[in-house]
Structure formats: C-alpha cells, structure tokens
C-alpha cells in the first residue's frame, strides 16, 4: 500500500526511482510520481494509472535530470486516483517535495489552519498538508523544520522529503508505516521495502518509529526527534535476488504457488529435531502455557482464514477455547482478554495496521503475544513478545499463497508443541502428527504435478457468474480462503458457506448452472457434505467437489472432482488449498485479469 523510493548519489536518480517503484508495484497503487532536484529547482512528474504511464511521460526517466530525488506509488485514500492527487506533493512555492505512506488523521484541521493563513492547496490529499507545513514552519534548517512538523501530525507516516534549497539531502522519517534506508557506495536510498533496493545494495537500516534519517551522498545519519544520534546496526539482507524476480514464470502468483513445498519445508525443517518440535522462539514455560484459559487469534484477510483453521486445530488438540477474530473488529469491541489469554497474531507483511493495533490492544490487556510473521524485522515481529517467522521468502503477488501455507504450517507446529507440553496429545499421536507434517511438502509437490486437471476445469468453468464454496468443520475454514482467492483475482462473485447453513437462506440463490465448489475432505463429515451437495445438485447446481483420493463416492453427486492425497484431517487444508489457489489463478488468467496486482488491492494494508 503506497510505495516510497528515494535516491541521493552521483548518478542520475530517475532510472533508480522508476526501477525501484516497479519493484514496489506489488504493494498496490493507482498512480505514481517522481520528483528530482535538477540543480535549480524541484521538478515533478506524476501520472494516474500504471507505472507505464509515468515512464511514457518521462521518456523512461530520460527527460528528468538530477542526482537526488524521491518517488511514490499511491494507493488512494484521501482524494480519488488522479495526476494531481498523486505524490510527490510540493509546497505552495514549490520549495519542498514530500512522499508519504500512511494517513495523517488530523489533516483537515491542519489544512483549515494553513488555508486561514493564506496557503493554497492543489490536491485533496492528506499528504499535501505535510509539504505545506514544512514550508510554513521553515526557518532554514530542514531537519529542525521536519521535527517541528512531526509534532503537529497525528496518524501514521513514512515520509521522504527533499528541498529546493538543499540539493544534498533527503530527510526520511517513519511512524507506524515501514521505511528502510539502503546504504550504497557514494549513494544512499530510501524505500518502503527491500525489493526496491536489492539490485543496488544488501546493506540496510530499518527505521524505527520516530527515527529520522538524514541521507547525503556519502553518509547516512540517524537521529531521534530530540536530535540525539541513534546508533543502529546495519542489517545485511540475505535474500536471493531471484526470489524477488519472476524467474521465468508469467506471474508471481504462479511462481509462489509452485514454491509452496520448499516454503513449508524451510519453515518446519529447522524446527523439528529427532522427531520433536523445538520452538525456541516461544519464551513461555510449560507452567505459563498451562495457565492459559483461552487462545485468541488475530489477523486480517487470508491470515484470518489461517486463524479459523487454527481454531479447529487448537480446540481439537489442546481442548482450550479458541476465538479467531478479525483484527479490525477485535480492536474496537472491548474484548475479554487478560493474562490468561494467549494471543497469536498472524501477518505476512507484519505491517497490517489493524493487526498491529489489535496486537497492541491485547498486550495492553496483559496478554502474551506470539506473532507468526513473514517479513523479518517488521513492526508486528518487533512488537510481539515472541515471533515465529515463516520462511516463505518474499511474497510479491498481492494474493497470498505461500505465506498462507507457511502460516498454517506454523499453526501445526505450535499446536503439536503445546499438545505435547500440556499432555493433551498421547506420545504416539504426537509422533504420528509430526511425521505427517513432514510429508506435506511432498504431497503438495504431487498436487502441483497434476495441475493440468485444475487448469482444464478452470477452462470449463471460468464463465461462472456466482460461485459458492461449501464445506463443514475445517473444510468450511478452507472455503473462506478458496472463495477469497477466487473473487480477489478473478472478480467473480463468490461466497463461502458452512454447508449445513446453506438451507437457512442461501440455497435460494442456487439456480441452473450455479457453480458450487464443495470441499469434502473432513472424513467424519463427508456423508453430511455429500447430502448438502445433493441438495444443491437437485436445484440445478454444477458441483465441483474436492475430496481425498480414497473417497470416490463423491463422484456420484459431483459433476467434476479434484482429488488430493490423503493426510490427517487437521492437515488437509494445507493440501486442499493448493487446487483452490490454482483454480483461482487459471480462472483469472482466462478472464485476462491483472493477476499479481488485482484492482483496488494492496499487498500490505498500512491504513485502517
Ligand atoms: C489475500 C491477502 C490478504 C492478506 C491480508 C493480511 O490474498 O493476501 O487478505 O492476507 O491483507 O495481510 P498480512 O498477512 O500482511 O497481515
């Protein structure tokens, strides 16, 4: 959600800025812009739409000269997507330029105040107020002025600022929105995320809240808002550069689906030693774990769907009541949480605003927080009591696949580990489950080898107007993810329904040809799900069933079937999700959708 880049060095800045923005496209955006200091003044070029538009406008950057600049991809919040609302924003007399990720919550008051002082605004954005405030309070020293302005701002921000009067500095600052500083040879960079700078450097600083970075061509200085120096460790990013590239695949999403066996293996293998799960990351004694009376799972979107699967898994294995909560709801409902509640927060990006705030709410109420996060050093990872990283590698496609799968794998690790500690799992059961967990990468590999069947079904069904996903128990939890995957990338309306709930209203929507995707993997309830499939079939539905290979009886009701290998019930979602991801992918591809960057969506949702 909004991407920031910045360059200061001795080379032309525009190629880096455009290239860096391209690497941040995955975050979601609807306009883009860059601003360079051309030696005389600040020159801004902005364009609504894809980065291609900005590239055309700037002749791939060739028409903009300058060795210092900032760039931005904007995901509209305040003011529609348009050239004028795109960033960078200039101050009234064009002396300062600002890019911003986040939301300035009190911008209306600030704007009213500035307008009463005669400042005129060009855009409808909250960000412009920052540029105008900098000019309004400017007394010559940009750092002092930025610090003064920060004190006026409520909300979240990552900011990059350049000034006409000082072509030798970029000022960067963050609060709640991510920002990194890349350290190069005689050049330095700012970016919202690592892929933007990976081609240039692996040495970075991760700015913490309220830290201010002053970038010059040959130095980076970090201070706090009292202007005291902050000593920070340089972090070396060890990502394989290919991990952030498509590597011959047409889309990141497909590549990431294919990477799931490795991602799950990388996530579980270092945590299983001699048949035992070792989770050194969790700093809780067995006594503390025994004291928990409830587990709360907090997340958004697909990560929340992992939480719904986890509810079934934890309650079955641990016999502790579990609530899976949407982070955006949890934080405002005065939740019943105390030191006897364990909170597990799930987030790929580790920056999702609602999840982060829900986590803080749980902590304020005395709950111990374990986070499951993919992005190392992200806010949620840093602010939780314990963090278990998913080793999925960079996930670029907006729709999550491998992060979902690795989050699920971590849920199994935690459930089995706690089950053993609490004694709710018999030793032989524990060993059997640990072995099962280790077979998941191979089984997913088998499913991926047979992806043509899913591709064929997608070719038969991609014209569906409405799709219903039905299932019971843990299959229902997976329906939520299957349905989201399909609708978010193919724009086909779809709904996830608990199969038993269908006849309490939704069945009236079933008519001739309605596609119903029935998940019938949960062994104890297959017969019941088959009955529900019959109910929709008799009303004209076209039933596609996903079942384990040892249950061919589903074919008596379903027109089409996808089989997955057998596994223990609670781990079947790890297998069943794969054909659902592939189905969504192929349907979206046949419909010609922008698979990696679906409309209106952002990869990391850093606003409420
Ligand atoms: C859907 C998807 C989103 C994210 C959600 C949470 O494919 O990717 O629903 O799961 O925005 O994001 P994170 O996991 O970064 O907190």
């Amino acid at each position: 959600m909004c991407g920031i880049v910045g360059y200061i060095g001795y080379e032309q800045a525009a190629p880096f800025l455009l290239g860096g923005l391209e690497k941040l496209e995955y975050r979601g955006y609807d306009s883009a812009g860059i601003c360079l200091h051309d030696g005389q003044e600040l020159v801004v070029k902005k364009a609504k739409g894809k980065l291609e538009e900005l590239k055309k406008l700037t002749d791939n950057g060739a028409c903009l000269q300058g060795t210092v600049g900032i760039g931005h991809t904007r995901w509209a919040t305040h003011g529609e997507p348009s050239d004028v609302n795109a960033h960078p924003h200039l101050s009234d007399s064009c002396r300062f330029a600002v890019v911003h990720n986040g939301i300035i919550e009190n911008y209306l008051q600030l704007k009213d105040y500035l307008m009463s002082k005669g400042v005129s605004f060009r855009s409808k954005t909250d960000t412009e107020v920052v540029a105008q405030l900098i000019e309004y309070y400017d007394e010559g020293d940009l750092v002092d002025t930025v610090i003064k302005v920060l004190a006026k701002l409520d909300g979240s921000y990552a900011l990059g600022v350049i000034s006409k009067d000082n072509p030798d500095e970029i000022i960067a600052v963050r609060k709640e929105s991510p920002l990194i500083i890349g350290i190069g040879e005689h050049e330095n960079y700012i970016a919202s995320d690592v892929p933007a700078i990976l081609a240039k450097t692996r040495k970075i600083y991760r700015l913490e809240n309220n830290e201010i970075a002053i970038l010059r061509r040959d130095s980076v200085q970090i201070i706090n808002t009292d202007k005291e120096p902050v000593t920070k460790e340089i972090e070396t990013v060890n990502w394989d550069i290919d991990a952030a590239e498509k590597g011959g695949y047409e889309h990141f999403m497909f590549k990431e689906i294919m990477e799931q066996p490795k991602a799950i293996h990388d996530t579980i293998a270092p945590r299983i030693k001699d048949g035992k799960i070792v989770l050194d990351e969790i700093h809780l004694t067995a006594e503390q774990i025994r004291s928990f009376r409830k587990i709360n799972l907090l997340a958004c979107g697909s990560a929340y769907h992992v939480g719904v699967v986890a509810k079934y898994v934890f309650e079955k294995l641990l016999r502790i009541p579990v609530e899976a909560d949407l982070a955006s709801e949890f934080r405002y409902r005065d939740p019943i949480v105390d030191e006897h509640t364990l909170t597990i927060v799930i987030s790929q990006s580790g920056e999702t605003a609602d999840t982060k705030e829900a986590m803080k709410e749980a902590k304020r109420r005395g709950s111990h927080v374990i986070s499951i996060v993919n992005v190392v050093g992200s806010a949620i990872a840093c602010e939780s009591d314990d963090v278990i990283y998913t080793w999925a590698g960079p996930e670029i496609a907006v729709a999550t696949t491998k992060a979902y799968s690795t989050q699920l794998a971590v849920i199994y690790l935690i459930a089995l580990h706690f089950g053993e500690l609490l004694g709710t799992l018999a030793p032989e059961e524990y060993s059997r489950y640990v072995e099962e967990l280790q077979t998941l990468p191979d089984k997913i590999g088998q499913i991926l080898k047979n992806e043509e069947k899913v591709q064929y079904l997608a070719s038969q069904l991609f014209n569906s107007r409405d799709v219903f996903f039905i299932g019971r128990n843990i299959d229902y939890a997976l329906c939520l993810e299957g349905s989201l995957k399909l609708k978010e990338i193919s724009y086909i309306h779809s709904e996830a329904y608990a199969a038993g709930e269908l006849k309490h209203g939704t069945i009236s929507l079933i008519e001739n040809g309605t596609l119903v995707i029935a998940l019938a993997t949960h062994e104890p309830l297959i017969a019941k799900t088959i009955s529900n499939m019959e109910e929709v079939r008799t009303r004209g539905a076209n039933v596609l069933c996903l079942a384990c290979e040892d249950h061919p009886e589903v074919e008596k009701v379903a027109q089409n079937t996808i089989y997955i290998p057998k596994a223990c019930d609670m781990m079947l979602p790890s297998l069943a999700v794969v054909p659902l991801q592939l189905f969504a992918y192929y349907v979206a591809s046949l419909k010609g959708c922008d698979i990696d960057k679906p409309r209106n969506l952002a990869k990391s949702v850093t606003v409420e």
Side-chain angles (χ1 to χ4, degrees), residues 421-440:
L421 276 174
L422 298 176
T424 50
L425 260 180
E428 54 289 355
E429 251 183 319
Y430 171 79
S431 304
R432 187 169 57 80
Y433 282 136
V434 174
E435 272 171 35
E436 282 263 7
L437 183 56
Q438 290 168 296
T439 64
L440 289 181

Side-chain angles (χ1 to χ4, degrees), residues 365-426:
R365 289 167 190 253
S367 180
H368 184 96
V369 176
I370 299 175
S371 65
I372 302 173
V373 174
N374 195 41
V375 176
V376 176
S378 54
I380 291 173
C382 293
E383 290 174 39
S384 51
D385 296 303
D386 301 321
V387 52
I388 305 180
Y389 283 113
T390 47
W391 298 121
E395 193 179 61
I396 309 291
V398 165
T400 183
T401 51
K402 62 177 179 171
Y404 173 94
S405 290
T406 52
Q407 288 160 356
L408 261 189
V410 172
I411 290 296
Y412 300 138
L413 286 171
I414 298 176
L416 296 176
H417 180 56
F418 281 14
E420 197 215 8
L421 276 174
L422 298 176
T424 50
L425 260 180

Side-chain angles (χ1 to χ4, degrees), residues 28 32 58 60 87 103 133 147 167 176 189 229 396 400 462 565 581:
T58 60
N60 275 321
H87 301 209
I103 288 189
L133 281 171
I147 291 175
E176 306 299 346
Y189 326 89
I396 309 291
T400 183
F462 76 99
Q581 295 165 342

